[in-house]
Amino acid sequence: MPPTREGKPPVVSRPSVSIEEFTVSGPEAGPYGIAAGPDSALWFTLVHHGRIGRVTPDGAVGSYPLEEASGGPSTITAGPDGALWFTEFRGHRVGRITTAGDVTSYALPTPDAGPFGIAAGPDDALWFTEAGAGRVGRITTDGRITEFPLPAPGAFPSGIAPGPDGRLWFTMNQANAIGSVGLDGSVVVHPLPTPGAAPVGITAGADGALWFVEIGAGRIGRITPDGTLDEFALPDPESRPHAITAAGDGACWFTEWGANRIGRITPDGHIEEHPLPTPSSEPHGIAQGPDGAIWTALENGAVARLTTG
């Protein structure tokens, strides 16, 4: 068991923020993952319509169809090659889209792999989780794929992010653990102290630690490369935090899918929460945009832009 420290009780406040929503699709399309692109726009997945969308900071919207509408594009990230890379959870593929909208798709070698999280690694390749197959995969920008099995069967690996130690860190939703994988495929697993935490999103913080959300326990977690763990309880244990991203201000921002809020946590555990203006908007993916604002994909057919005042 890794060393653990109990997080201090959070302090909750609501500083002045402005939240603007942009309609990007019908509610049936399901905006889900979101990432800042190299073209000063935000790119997002439409999980139920099999499309990749694009929105500029001033609200101009476009989208591009994928080869199969039923592929379930889920998370998306900027690649080292100037394109956006995304997973297709139901189509068992990893996709690439250029800023001009040209799409390439790569089928995974393992049947029913269920790719979900994806992130650029320190080796100029993309690393992704295979939730259905219990593996972590690597794909080069020319489409060569390698897969690494995990030691815990049925772990349902979910989010993934590069760490400061040259390894890729990922959540193991059903194994209740955080894992890391080296560029050589070596895997280390860190069990979480809270039962049923069910971690999902993960990001590298500015403090040299990895920050993650515990959707099952209503907590935000922090783990250092040496395995030291902290957990910070949210005021609402049923808020179901889903995704998390590091921002330029040193804090991390996260979505509360079950509570219709966007939250912020500082490295010392100070928590702020901000309700979204539209009820039941189902916030999922979150990213800092090129404009410095925090952008969130809302499954009700919109994206939200949050700026602090």
Side-chain angles (χ1 to χ4, degrees):
M1 176 74 69
T4 305
R5 292 188 293 128
E6 184 68 23
K8 65 175 70 174
V11 178
V12 181
S13 63
R14 290 181 174 84
S16 174
V17 301
S18 173
I19 300 177
E20 184 178 12
E21 294 182 353
F22 302 95
T23 299
V24 296
S25 71
E28 72 284 351
Y32 193 87
I34 193 166
D39 57 347
S40 298
L42 281 299
W43 291 75
F44 56 92
T45 59
L46 294 169
V47 65
H48 302 309
H49 273 191
R51 301 178 73 91
I52 302 297
R54 177 183 183 272
V55 60
T56 63
D58 60 3
V61 178
S63 70
Y64 303 91
L66 303 181
E67 183 179 348
E68 294 184 15
S70 61
S74 298
T75 58
I76 187 167
T77 193
D81 56 349
L84 286 300
W85 289 75
F86 56 92
T87 54
E88 292 184 67
F89 182 78
R90 292 192 295 268
H92 313 296
R93 294 184 296 264
V94 170
R96 175 185 185 270
I97 185 168
T98 68
T99 54
D102 299 319
V103 177
T104 308
S105 182
Y106 301 95
L108 299 182
T110 299
D112 301 323
F116 183 74
I118 190 166
D123 54 350
D124 289 334
L126 286 301
W127 289 72
F128 56 93
T129 57
E130 297 183 7
R135 300 183 179 206
V136 170
R138 175 185 184 270
I139 183 169
T140 62
T141 54
D142 61 359
R144 289 176 288 123
I145 296 170
T146 310
E147 296 172 304
F148 303 100
L150 301 180
F156 207 84
S158 300
I160 190 167
D165 55 351
R167 298 174 68 84
L168 282 298
W169 288 72
F170 55 93
T171 55
M172 303 169 74
N173 179 265
Q174 294 300 300
N176 213 54
I178 304 297
S180 72
V181 59
L183 301 185
D184 60 355
S186 60
V187 176
V188 177
V189 175
H190 303 275
L192 295 178
T194 300
V200 184
I202 189 169
T203 192
D207 59 346
L210 285 300
W211 290 76
F212 56 92
V213 292
E214 298 180 3
I215 195 170
R219 297 182 178 212
I220 306 299
R222 176 185 184 271
I223 186 169
T224 61
D226 67 1
T228 301
L229 276 158
D230 294 278
E231 294 177 304
F232 302 93
L234 297 176
D236 178 4
E238 303 299 323
S239 59
R240 299 189 69 76
H242 179 84
I244 188 167
T245 191
D249 62 358
C252 292
W253 292 77
F254 54 92
T255 53
E256 294 184 41
W257 172 59
N260 205 51
R261 289 189 292 256
I262 298 173
R264 176 181 182 269
I265 186 167
T266 61
D268 63 356
H270 178 94
I271 292 170
E272 304 160 1
E273 295 178 307
H274 309 286
L276 290 162
T278 301
S280 303
S281 56
E282 296 189 66
H284 284 287
I286 191 167
Q288 184 168 37
D291 56 350
I294 301 300
W295 290 75
T296 303
L298 309 178
E299 202 168 348
N300 70 346
V303 296
R305 178 178 181 266
L306 182 151
T307 55
T308 56

